Each structure stands twice: as structure tokens, then as C-alpha cells.
Amino acid sequence: MKKQKKYKPAVHIIQKELLQPYNPVTVNLIGAGGTGGQVLTALARMNYALTTLGHAGLFVRVFDDDKVDIANLGRQLFTTAELGQYKSVALINRINRFFGTNWKGETIRYDKPSLKNADLASATITISCVDTVRARYEIAEILKYLAKQYGGRNHVKYWLDFGNNRSSGQVILSTLEKITQPASELYRPVESLPLLTDEFKDLLSATEQADDVPSCSLAEALSKQDLFINSALANCGASLLWQLFREGILFNRGFFLNLNDFRTQPLKVA
């Protein structure tokens, strides 16, 4: 009788240089709108907790060339006093004052023409909170290029993408290179997590917004995205990142969320 092979769950194990870094881990956050603003607040809380626990913490740059307008109030984290300001600068100034950080707001779009400076474009973790499929594919191209051509301290390793339509969405973690995994008797370590743009082309097309025309009012904005979808995705996605830093091992590389029936489906490492 043949002996059955022992089942080993697939996992992704985080390298020590992220768990016990000498310097803050660099994070590029692309997009400072409904989801991006919520993610930034979660990153600030995470940074405070990590440094309190003896970790070097995070250094975050936020990229967005958009300015605050009246339709952003209520659904996004802006006040009337910030109307006309760049979203990235308004959010970063508030976070820096509240948490005592020295994070940076970049008033440019994260795209090929604007990012000729590889030091600025590259970060250990890139987080995208953008509205269009086109933007995601361009981010993917930039990150793949940097993974091959840029060898600095902030060499790109992970890409965490947030995407949603009116009342559902997903958060998916990808790797830009093979992450060396230790041998394990209990688990089956996986060194690469597939890129969102390679694995979910159909999903990206389905969640793309019909147009890029800005909303003229809060009511119009809410017809495109529900009031709490951004914060729900941001908190769950931040929990995945928190698990990366605190546990050092991931059984799930993302999730799908539907607020209509309050259902969350994890995306397993495979």
C-alpha cells in the first residue's frame, strides 16, 4: 500500500530584511482619493504600532496630481479648508502633524513621463489605489522595469493593489521578483505571487469605471462608489499588510469583498 503524501499548505514567507530592517521600509502609495486616503491613515497607525514594537517603521510617499474639489467632501477625507490643495499634500501634511512623521506628498502622477527618477519611483512596497485599468497596467510596466534595472536600497519587491466598483472590490498582493524562501517541513513555501495584471485581466476589465470624468457632487460620486466601500477595503487590505510585518508568513495573498451581502472571500497562496 502506497504511503500518502503529507499535505503541506502553501505559504509565502517574508524575508528578515522586512521584519527586522535597519531603516524604515519604503512605501509608495499611488492615489490619494477615496481608498488612498483611508489606506494612508491605516499606514500611519501601522507605522506608529511598528515603531512602538521596536521595528524601524515605514517611510511613505503619496503620488497624486489631483486637487481637492467640492465633490470630494464627505466621501473622501478632506475638509472645506483644503479645497484647491493637492490631495497628496493635504493628506500628508495632516498625517505628519498628527503622527510626527516626515512622509512626502508628490504632486505628480505615477507614470512613465513623470518618473524618470528611479529613486523616487522605486519602493520596497508599492500600493496602488487607482480608478482605471490603464493606470494599473502602466504601474505594472514601471514596476517590472524597476525590478530588473534598479538595484538600490529601495528595490521593488511587493505590489498591493486596491480596486473596486460601486459596492464590491478586491485587494491583491503580488511580487515583482522571486522572494527567497526557507525550507519547511510544515509548509510549502511559494517564492512568487502572480502579478494582478497577468492573472486577473478579465476582472480588471469588469471593475474598470465607465469613464474618468470627475463627479460634480457627492450624490453623483455615491452613484459610482458606495460610501463605505473604500474604508472597508482599506481596513481589510491594511490587515493583510499588518500580517506581513507581524506574522512574517502569509496563507492568503488577498481577498474579494462584497458589501451587498457582507461577504469576504480570501485569495489563497498557491
Side-chain angles (χ1 to χ4, degrees), residues 12 14 18-19 39 42-43 46 50 125-127 158-162 170-175 193 232-256 264-269:
H12 180 73
I14 313 307
L18 278 179
L19 303 180
V39 171
L43 289 173
M46 193 181 307
L50 286 171
I125 300 172
T126 299
I127 301 175
Y158 292 100
W159 175 22
L160 185 65
D161 179 75
F162 291 73
Q170 73 286 329
V171 177
I172 297 173
L173 181 69
S174 309
T175 56
L193 306 178
L233 277 176
N235 283 319
C236 290
S239 293
L240 176 65
L241 202 57
W242 176 248
Q243 189 177 78
L244 181 150
F245 284 113
R246 291 299 296 151
E247 304 290 337
I249 183 170
L250 296 177
F251 292 88
N252 302 297
R253 56 190 176 95
F255 60 89
F256 298 90
T264 304
Q265 176 65 44
L267 181 61
K268 297 288 185 185
V269 173

Side-chain angles (χ1 to χ4, degrees), residues 51-92:
T51 54
T52 301
L53 294 168
H55 190 276
L58 310 173
F59 174 75
V60 179
R61 289 179 295 232
V62 181
F63 292 83
D64 201 313
D65 66 343
D66 197 15
K67 293 182 179 180
V68 181
D69 64 35
I70 195 71
N72 300 140
L73 306 183
R75 194 177 66 82
Q76 300 182 19
L77 299 179
F78 300 106
T79 71
T80 53
E82 293 164 332
L83 288 171
Q85 294 184 28
Y86 281 103
K87 290 182 178 180
S88 57
V89 173
L91 289 176
I92 281 292

Side-chain angles (χ1 to χ4, degrees), residues 47 58-61 92 95-96 99-105:
N47 175 69
L58 310 173
F59 174 75
V60 179
R61 289 179 295 232
I92 281 292
I95 290 294
N96 285 342
F99 287 95
T101 48
N102 188 30
W103 294 356
K104 305 298 181 184

Side-chain angles (χ1 to χ4, degrees), residues 121-136:
S122 190
T124 304
I125 300 172
T126 299
I127 301 175
S128 54
C129 304
V130 295
D131 288 335
T132 66
V133 173
R134 183 178 66 254
R136 284 184 175 84

Side-chain angles (χ1 to χ4, degrees), residues 96-172:
N96 285 342
R97 287 195 301 268
F98 193 91
F99 287 95
T101 48
N102 188 30
W103 294 356
K104 305 298 181 184
E106 304 293 340
T107 58
I108 57 174
R109 190 184 295 267
Y110 191 97
D111 57 14
K112 293 174 188 175
S114 301
L115 291 168
K116 296 177 182 177
N117 183 347
D119 289 328
L120 186 66
S122 190
T124 304
I125 300 172
T126 299
I127 301 175
S128 54
C129 304
V130 295
D131 288 335
T132 66
V133 173
R134 183 178 66 254
R136 284 184 175 84
Y137 277 109
E138 185 160 15
I139 290 167
E141 283 186 48
I142 293 170
L143 295 179
K144 284 191 282 189
Y145 173 82
L146 290 170
K148 290 180 180 178
Q149 303 296 331
Y150 180 79
R153 181 175 70 84
N154 301 328
H155 184 67
V156 296
K157 292 184 181 294
Y158 292 100
W159 175 22
L160 185 65
D161 179 75
F162 291 73
N164 67 280
N165 52 31
R166 188 177 184 279
S167 57
S168 64
Q170 73 286 329
V171 177
I172 297 173

